[in-house]
């Protein structure tokens, strides 16, 4: 631990000595207080956090949350040693204050005054830079946080015009690519081939339900992003309609946004023609923010966090708090309650009834997207938009990058869960916060506003809905289930579900969720399912009546309803169907599966169709997070979720490009690999013959990489695995990524690795251990060339760490899929051995693909599992030699490859 004094005197301290100094009352400068406190093994202590100052002076601007990252962002000399890093914090603080003094914005002073009331440690320094003084404690400056009054409103435009159907010819796509690369790089032959092949997705459709589909696998280094931006931007220009480009990871969304600068180099034009769409759960809600600000009169300490959010609100591009320009480390520092929890939780929005409706970031982006050339979105949002069917002019052209994730995204988007959390959320959506004053939940009555009071029939139906919704769980349902004291038909049913799962689950790791088969049910579960199904039926009746009344009102009062009232009633009508009626009807269908095993002549749920369809798999589960139960229920997923995806997204489209670096399996059978790709992307469900192409990576993988299987380490001995990783990380000199198939094994390895790697001068970062979100961990890992990072599935793919920052990947064992009940059903449907092998080869390909991002990269891929079958080795590029050796030889190979 390095400690620097303002007079430039530096010293090295042990953890114990640093803690003792803090206990004596010294208030230091730090970079990321929570992370520093965690590494000292103590709670948060008084300190001046440079990241808070950075977030105030430079809102909505990126910075790696380390001393070196701060120096780089501020264009200061980069510190090279721990002592230099500690001393650099003083330099960074002076630079930030100088910048604030030179260019303060109008909102800086009122926000700083409000933060001073919250006892912000930087307040005196910041106010002095702004030419003010710290106000007396009794002073009130809450208005400084009222930034919603200073945000501009959006305006409604005319309805969008349907796009034309002019084709993009291959030669045009190639020419556009050459133009995009002009002055930057020479176009590569394979990248030109990619662009011309991708043009097949931008031809006119000849028959309804038969889109033009292109399946293209493009190896790393092809330049596929610009390869599809070329025909996409050209089609949008020629046809005056949007192309939706969808990705799975936030990292690729950010990369896409940067690459689009080449197509739209002028910021003003790009702002009009490119929109990044996210879901409401990603975007800040101004009403939630206003309500949080109103509570600062009671909890003035919240003013610090809300002041930094206010600065960000005045600078943000689109209000995106998760993956956008809101620094992820700021949520780590300030807590999610006053940052990420300000987003719009599911079903919370009151649409045009909100006083901030005309300033809403989401509503603005929805309207901008209708007139944009390019809409950047994620797979989940595209699927949700398609199933809702409420877009007046849905998009007709799609590009799905990271196409190998479509199956996973569809699996989540088209699933149905009858659980404690889902039913509790539905009650809150219908009835609001009820007895909880501090909650921001708003029920149907608040959403409807005067629309309910002005019509007696609507008021009556709404009253029935609110009364019958009390069968759904109230607050404290988890505690009542654990105590064996359920209240109401939902909790009575879930208590028996929980009993069955605890009795029959085979999972022994306390960090993982528990599951059990639906059949045979424990005694009483069928009767509880019947009672719950009948209660749901009674709730559905007034909900359907309310929806009809609102629909009729739109018709009968068409001439007199104001625009705002019409939009509110219509959005609520659609919300009732989407958020209440459809889930409730789905839950009834799930309950029939249970009731069917105990049929009764008086059973209103029993029907010839009651047994579970072969299209679905149902199971019972107790969901856990960090070992704590957070949900319990019945879960229904499609065996093949690409069936609903194909119906909702592919069939209505005119053209679809699906692309990835790992689109196909590497079984060695080319026909079978393309067949598997068509199955995993939904193309097999559509009656079309897709355009297919495979463009190999230009990288020389045999010369740039090595694959090593270590044969003398017992993968089941955590000390042996940790010792092997320690020696491999040290041999590589850092730049190492350790991937685990279980969180518990990762945490055990971290405990064994932390001290020896620190002694070797290597920074160790760990997912599920460090007080940092995954994106921030990757940012630090990318910036600190000799750091090491431990992670699980989220780090196996979707991260881009070029150069020497990532030169070694180590897997603790073969990444076989977890043998869940859902996986068992899919193995049966898709072929047991082939399905497992295909998934595992894909995971190996994705993990290996992290190593080489440029032609100058070199790396070693190590698997600490002698049981890796030879049939899976086709996951690696042709020509790469796989060596099975002992650990000592593996260490020699790592040194030779990376240091020769």
């Amino acid at each position: 631990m390095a400690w620097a004094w303002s007079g430039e005197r530096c010293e090295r301290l042990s953890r114990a000595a640093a803690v003792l100094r803090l206990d004596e009352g010294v208030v230091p400068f730090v970079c990321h207080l929570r992370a520093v406190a965690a590494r000292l093994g103590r709670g948060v202590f008084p300190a001046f956090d440079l990241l808070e100052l950075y977030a105030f002076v430079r809102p909505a601007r990126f910075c790696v949350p380390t001393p070196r990252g701060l120096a780089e962002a501020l264009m200061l000399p980069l510190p090279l040693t721990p002592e230099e890093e500690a001393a650099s914090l003083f330099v960074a603080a002076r630079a930030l204050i100088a910048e604030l003094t030179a260019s303060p914005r109008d909102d800086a002073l009122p926000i700083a005054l409000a933060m001073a009331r919250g006892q912000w440690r930087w307040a005196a320094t910041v106010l002095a830079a702004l030419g003010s003084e710290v106000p007396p404690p009794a002073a009130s400056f809450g208005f400084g946080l009222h930034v919603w009054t200073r945000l501009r409103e959006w305006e409604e435009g005319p309805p969008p015009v349907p796009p034309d159907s002019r084709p993009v010819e291959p030669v045009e796509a190639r020419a556009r690519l050459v133009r995009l690369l002009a002055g930057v790089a020479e176009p590569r032959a394979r990248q030109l081939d990619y662009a011309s092949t991708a043009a097949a997705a931008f031809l006119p459709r000849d028959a309804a339900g038969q889109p033009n589909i292109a399946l293209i696998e493009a190896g790393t280094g092809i330049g596929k992003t610009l390869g599809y931006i070329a025909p996409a931007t050209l089609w949008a220009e020629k046809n005056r309609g949007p192309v939706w480009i969808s990705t799975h990871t936030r990292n690729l969304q950010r990369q896409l946004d940067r690459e689009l600068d080449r197509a739209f180099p002028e910021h003003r034009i790009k702002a009009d023609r490119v929109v990044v769409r996210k879901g409401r759960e990603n975007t800040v809600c101004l009403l939630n923010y206003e309500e949080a600000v109103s509570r600062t009169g009671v909890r003035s300490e919240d003013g610090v966090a809300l002041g930094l959010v206010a600065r960000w609100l005045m600078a943000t591009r689109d209000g995106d708090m998760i993956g956008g320009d809101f620094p992820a480390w700021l949520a780590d520092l300030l807590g999610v309650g006053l940052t990420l929890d300000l987003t719009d939780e599911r079903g919370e929005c009151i649409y045009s009834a909100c006083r901030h409706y005309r300033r809403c970031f989401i509503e603005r982006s929805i309207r901008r997207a209708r007139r944009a050339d390019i809409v950047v979105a994620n797979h989940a949002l595209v699927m949700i938009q398609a199933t809702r069917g409420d877009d007046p002019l849905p998009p007709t052209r799609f590009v799905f990058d990271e196409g190998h994730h479509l199956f996973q995204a569809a699996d989540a988007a088209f699933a149905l869960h009858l659980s404690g959390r889902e039913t509790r959320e539905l009650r809150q959506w219908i009835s609001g916060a009820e007895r909880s004053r501090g909650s921001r939940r708003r029920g149907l009555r608040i959403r409807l506003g005067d629309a309910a009071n002005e019509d007696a029939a609507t008021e009556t139906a709404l009253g029935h809905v609110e009364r019958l919704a009390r069968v759904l769980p109230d607050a404290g349902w988890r505690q009542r289930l654990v105590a064996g004291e359920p209240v109401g038909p939902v909790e009575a049913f879930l208590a028996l579900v929980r009993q069955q799962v605890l009795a029959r689950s085979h999972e022994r790791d306390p960090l993982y969720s528990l599951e059990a088969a639906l059949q045979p049910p424990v005694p009483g579960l069928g009767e509880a399912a019947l009672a719950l199904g009948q209660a749901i039926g009674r709730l559905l009746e007034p909900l359907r009546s309310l929806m009809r009344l609102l629909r009729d009102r739109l018709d009968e009062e068409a001439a007199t309803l104001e625009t705002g009232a019409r939009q509110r009633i219509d959005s609520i009508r659609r919300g009732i169907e989407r958020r209440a009626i459809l889930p409730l009807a789905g839950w009834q269908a799930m309950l029939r599966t249970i009731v069917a095993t105990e049929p009764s002549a008086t059973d209103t749920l029993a029907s010839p169709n009651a047994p579970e369809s072969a299209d679905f798999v149902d199971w019972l589960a107790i969901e856990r997070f960090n070992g704590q139960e957070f949900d319990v229920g019945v879960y229904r997923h499609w065996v093949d979720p690409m069936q609903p995806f194909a119906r909702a997204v592919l069939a209505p489209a005119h053209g679809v490009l699906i692309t990835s670096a790992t689109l196909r399996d590497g079984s060695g059978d080319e026909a079978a690999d393309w067949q598997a790709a068509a199955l995993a992307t939904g193309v097999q469900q559509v009656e079309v013959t897709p355009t297919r192409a495979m463009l190999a990576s230009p990288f020389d993988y045999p010369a740039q990489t090595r694959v090593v299987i270590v044969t003398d380490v017992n993968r089941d001995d955590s000390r042996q695995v940790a010792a092997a990783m320690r020696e491999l990380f040290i041999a590589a000199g850092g730049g190492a990524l350790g991937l685990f198939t279980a969180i518990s094994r990762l945490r055990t390895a971290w405990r064994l690795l932390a001290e020896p790697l620190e002694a070797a001068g290597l920074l160790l970062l760990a997912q599920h251990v460090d007080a940092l979100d995954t994106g921030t961990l990757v940012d630090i890992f990318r910036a600190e060339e000799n750091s090491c990072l431990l992670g699980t599935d989220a780090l196996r793919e979707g991260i881009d760490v070029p150069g020497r920052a990532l030169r070694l990947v180590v897997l603790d064992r073969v990444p076989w899929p977890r043998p869940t009940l859902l996986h068992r059903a899919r193995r049966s449907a898709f072929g047991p051995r082939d399905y497992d092998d295909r998934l595992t080869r894909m995971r190996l390909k994705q993990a290996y693909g992290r190593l080489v991002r440029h032609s100058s990269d070199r790396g070693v891929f190590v698997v600490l599992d002698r049981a890796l079958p030879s049939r899976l080795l086709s996951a690696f590029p042709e020509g790469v030699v796989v060596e099975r050796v002992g650990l000592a030889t593996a260490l020699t190979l790592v040194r030779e490859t990376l240091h020769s």
Side-chain angles (χ1 to χ4, degrees):
M1 180 69 64
W3 192 292
W5 300 92
S6 57
E8 299 185 0
R9 178 170 63 89
C10 296
E11 57 184 316
R12 284 285 185 108
L13 295 178
S14 65
R15 281 192 176 88
V19 169
L20 180 61
R21 186 166 290 175
L22 292 171
D23 290 341
E24 292 171 350
V26 178
V27 182
F29 281 21
V30 299
C31 182
H32 204 302
L33 175 57
R34 290 186 182 274
V36 173
R39 292 195 173 274
L40 288 174
R42 59 162 295 162
V44 173
F45 50 86
F48 290 87
D49 196 328
L50 266 291
L51 292 178
E52 288 185 9
L53 183 61
Y54 184 91
F56 185 90
V57 177
R58 293 187 165 193
R61 292 176 65 178
F62 177 74
C63 159
V64 175
T66 63
R68 185 181 177 89
L70 275 171
E72 187 170 18
L74 296 170
M75 301 181 70
L76 300 172
L78 298 183
L80 301 177
T81 66
E83 290 84 356
E84 290 181 4
E85 288 183 348
S88 73
L89 298 183
F90 295 108
V91 181
R94 287 193 289 269
L96 286 168
I97 293 300
E99 183 175 325
L100 180 64
T101 304
S103 55
R105 287 178 17 183
D106 292 343
D107 60 290
L109 180 56
I111 292 174
L113 289 168
M115 294 172 70
R117 186 172 178 271
Q119 304 299 308
W120 188 33
R121 292 196 176 275
W122 289 105
T125 305
V126 166
L127 288 172
L130 296 172
S132 183
E133 297 179 351
V134 177
S140 176
F141 293 96
F143 68 86
L145 302 180
H146 295 184
V147 293
W148 57 84
T149 63
R150 303 193 285 278
L151 296 174
R152 64 185 179 88
E153 296 186 353
W154 52 262
E155 296 181 354
E156 199 74 74
V161 178
D164 294 331
S165 296
R166 295 187 179 91
V168 172
E169 301 294 345
V171 66
E172 293 179 289
R174 295 168 76 95
R176 171 56 60 93
L177 177 60
V178 171
R179 199 180 91 187
L180 293 177
L181 290 169
V184 179
E186 288 291 325
R188 290 162 281 183
R190 291 178 192 175
Q191 190 177 26
L192 290 167
D193 290 343
Y194 182 98
S196 56
T197 307
F202 298 95
L203 297 175
R205 186 176 67 169
D206 294 330
Q210 296 183 11
N212 297 296
I213 298 179
L215 283 175
I216 308 180
E217 178 172 286
T220 304
I222 289 292
K224 64 178 167 57
T225 305
L226 280 178
Y228 59 67
I229 284 176
T233 53
L234 187 56
W235 186 91
E237 286 178 20
K238 293 178 70 172
N239 296 284
R240 292 167 293 183
V243 176
W244 280 54
I245 302 179
S246 178
T247 75
H248 183 69
T249 61
R250 299 170 195 160
N251 177 65
L252 185 53
Q253 280 195 339
R254 289 193 291 265
Q255 179 185 331
L256 248 176
D257 194 23
R258 290 193 300 268
E259 294 281 21
L260 284 164
D261 288 342
R262 300 195 189 185
F264 307 99
E266 292 187 34
H267 176 75
R268 180 184 56 80
I269 294 177
K270 183 184 177 185
D272 288 338
R273 297 171 68 179
V274 176
V275 175
V276 179
R277 278 292 314 274
K278 298 284 186 74
R280 291 184 181 273
E281 69 281 357
N282 288 58
T283 307
V284 66
C285 169
L286 293 174
L287 186 56
N288 289 342
Y289 172 76
E290 181 192 356
E291 292 180 357
V293 168
S294 70
R295 294 192 291 269
T296 58
V298 179
R299 297 199 304 266
S300 60
E301 63 274 15
D302 290 352
V304 175
L306 292 173
L308 294 177
V309 172
R311 286 284 282 173
W312 171 76
L313 280 169
M314 295 302 296
T316 180
R317 169 183 169 183
D318 52 16
D320 182 5
M321 298 193 89
I322 304 174
D325 55 17
F326 186 83
W329 44 259
L330 197 52
D332 297 331
L333 287 178
L334 306 177
V336 297
L338 293 171
T339 54
L340 304 186
D341 277 357
L342 297 176
T343 57
D344 183 6
E345 295 182 10
R346 187 173 56 162
E348 197 173 73
C349 184
I350 58 177
Y351 299 96
S352 60
C354 178
R355 54 185 165 271
H356 302 300
Y357 183 66
R358 288 280 177 179
R359 298 184 179 93
C360 175
F361 288 104
I362 278 285
E363 295 298 331
R364 186 192 309 278
S365 71
I366 288 172
R367 283 152 183 80
R368 288 181 57 220
R370 291 171 184 163
R371 291 165 179 79
D373 284 1
I374 301 294
V375 179
V376 179
N378 58 64
H379 297 344
L381 180 63
V382 170
M383 294 175 196
I384 291 169
Q385 293 282 101
T387 54
R388 285 180 174 176
D390 54 7
D391 193 328
L393 192 64
T396 61
R397 303 285 169 169
F398 296 95
V399 174
F400 290 103
D401 201 345
E402 299 179 310
H404 60 281
H405 276 300
L406 283 172
F407 191 98
Q408 175 187 347
D411 184 38
F414 298 107
L416 186 62
H417 298 168
L418 168 51
S419 70
R421 289 185 71 199
E422 294 286 329
T423 51
R424 170 63 180 152
E425 283 190 2
L426 180 55
R427 174 166 175 165
Q428 290 180 309
W429 186 84
I430 292 172
S431 303
E434 297 180 273
R435 294 178 300 278
S436 177
R437 286 186 179 181
S439 175
R440 66 194 190 215
R441 291 284 185 172
R442 307 168 190 102
L444 271 176
R445 188 172 294 277
I446 293 177
R447 288 185 182 84
L448 281 167
D450 294 338
N453 302 329
E454 294 169 358
D455 182 74
T458 301
E459 170 62 34
T460 300
L462 178 58
H464 287 322
V465 169
E466 291 175 329
R467 178 174 57 82
L468 291 171
R470 292 173 190 156
V471 301
L472 303 172
D474 200 356
W477 64 269
R478 290 187 194 88
Q479 294 84 344
R480 290 192 293 275
L481 290 189
V482 173
E485 301 172 351
V487 175
V490 176
E491 293 184 24
F493 172 73
L494 294 177
L496 289 165
V497 168
R498 184 173 183 274
Q499 173 188 326
Q500 181 162 327
V501 174
L502 290 173
R504 298 179 186 171
S505 173
H506 298 288
E507 180 61 62
R508 292 294 174 262
D509 191 329
L511 293 176
Y512 281 104
S513 299
L514 308 178
E515 63 176 21
L518 194 63
Q519 307 296 346
V522 295
L525 185 61
E527 291 86 345
L530 174 60
L532 176 55
Q534 292 170 337
I536 288 174
R538 290 191 290 272
L539 175 57
L540 276 168
E541 290 180 12
L543 277 167
R544 287 173 173 142
S545 175
L546 180 59
M547 191 173 75
R548 284 194 298 270
L549 286 166
L550 294 175
R551 183 190 59 207
D552 292 346
R553 189 168 177 187
L554 290 171
D555 180 26
E556 294 164 3
E557 301 180 26
T560 57
L561 277 175
E562 294 182 356
T563 301
R566 168 176 289 280
Q567 290 174 338
R568 181 189 310 178
I569 292 172
D570 189 45
S571 65
I572 292 170
R573 178 191 62 81
R574 288 184 279 109
I576 290 171
E577 180 178 27
R578 185 169 61 238
R579 185 67 184 85
I581 292 176
L582 290 177
L584 286 166
W587 294 344
Q588 276 193 316
M590 294 169 69
L591 292 167
R592 289 191 188 101
T593 304
I594 303 172
V595 173
T597 62
E598 300 177 30
S600 166
T602 60
D603 177 9
T604 59
L605 291 178
S607 74
N609 298 321
E612 179 183 346
S613 165
D615 289 336
F616 305 105
V617 56
D618 293 359
W619 73 94
L620 313 179
I622 296 173
E623 296 289 329
R624 288 172 171 171
F625 180 74
N626 282 337
Q628 300 296 314
E629 288 186 25
F630 72 90
D631 204 7
V632 57
V634 187
Y635 297 78
R636 167 168 286 187
H637 285 235
W638 285 80
V639 174
D640 183 2
M642 304 320 289
Q643 291 184 40
F645 170 75
R647 284 197 297 270
V649 180
L650 295 185
H654 289 208
V656 180
L657 167 62
I658 302 175
T659 188
S660 170
T662 53
L663 200 59
R664 304 176 312 141
D665 185 17
S667 68
D669 183 336
E670 185 174 353
D673 288 350
W674 278 117
Q675 179 73 12
L679 178 70
T681 56
V683 174
Q684 189 168 288
Q685 306 290 337
V686 187
E687 295 182 2
V688 298
T689 301
T691 297
R692 302 187 317 198
M694 197 287 289
L695 299 167
S697 170
F699 299 145
D700 186 354
Y701 286 109
Q704 292 179 248
T705 67
R706 279 184 129 136
V707 176
V708 178
I709 302 171
V710 176
T711 58
D712 58 356
V713 171
N714 182 354
R715 68 177 189 183
D716 297 317
D717 185 333
S718 58
R719 296 190 68 85
Q720 287 193 45
V721 171
M725 283 201 176
R726 179 192 68 221
E727 296 306 316
L728 287 164
F729 289 5
I730 292 172
L737 174 63
L739 294 174
F740 292 80
T741 56
I743 296 171
S744 57
R745 288 196 290 272
L746 180 153
R747 288 176 171 166
T748 299
W750 177 82
R751 286 193 292 271
L752 295 170
L753 288 171
E755 288 191 11
L757 289 185
E758 183 179 12
L762 302 179
L763 171 65
L764 179 63
L765 305 163
Q767 192 186 14
H768 306 292
V769 175
D770 283 306
L772 298 162
D773 87 306
T774 300
T776 303
L777 286 172
V778 174
D779 288 338
I780 297 173
F781 179 60
R782 185 187 296 113
E784 304 289 336
E785 187 176 287
N786 295 327
S787 60
C788 302
L789 176 60
L790 306 181
T792 51
D793 275 357
L795 296 182
R796 193 182 63 244
E797 57 177 318
I799 64 169
D800 188 24
V801 184
R804 282 184 53 79
L806 177 54
R807 49 192 180 271
L808 173 68
V809 174
V810 183
L811 272 62
D812 76 323
R813 60 183 60 206
V814 179
W816 295 109
R818 285 181 59 78
T820 63
L821 292 169
L822 178 59
H823 178 72
R824 186 172 71 185
R826 287 176 176 158
R827 287 179 83 244
S828 177
F830 302 139
R833 177 163 164 172
D834 289 347
Y835 185 62
D836 280 349
D837 285 359
R838 185 162 66 247
L839 291 181
T840 308
R841 271 193 297 266
M842 281 290 189
R843 293 175 178 185
L844 289 170
K845 287 175 72 172
Q846 291 153 5
Y848 171 86
R850 301 307 95 208
L851 274 178
V852 176
R853 316 303 289 175
H854 295 301
S855 58
S856 59
D857 292 347
R858 294 175 66 83
V860 182
F861 187 83
V862 180
V863 182
L864 300 176
D865 188 349
R866 68 172 70 94
L868 176 60
S870 297
R871 67 180 184 276
L872 301 183
L873 300 183
S874 57
F876 305 113
E878 186 176 352
V880 172
V881 177
V882 178
E883 302 173 79
R884 295 181 182 267
V885 298
L887 179 60
T889 304
L891 294 171
T892 301
L893 293 174
V894 167
R895 295 187 191 100
E896 288 177 354
T897 304
L898 300 181
H899 303 304
S900 61

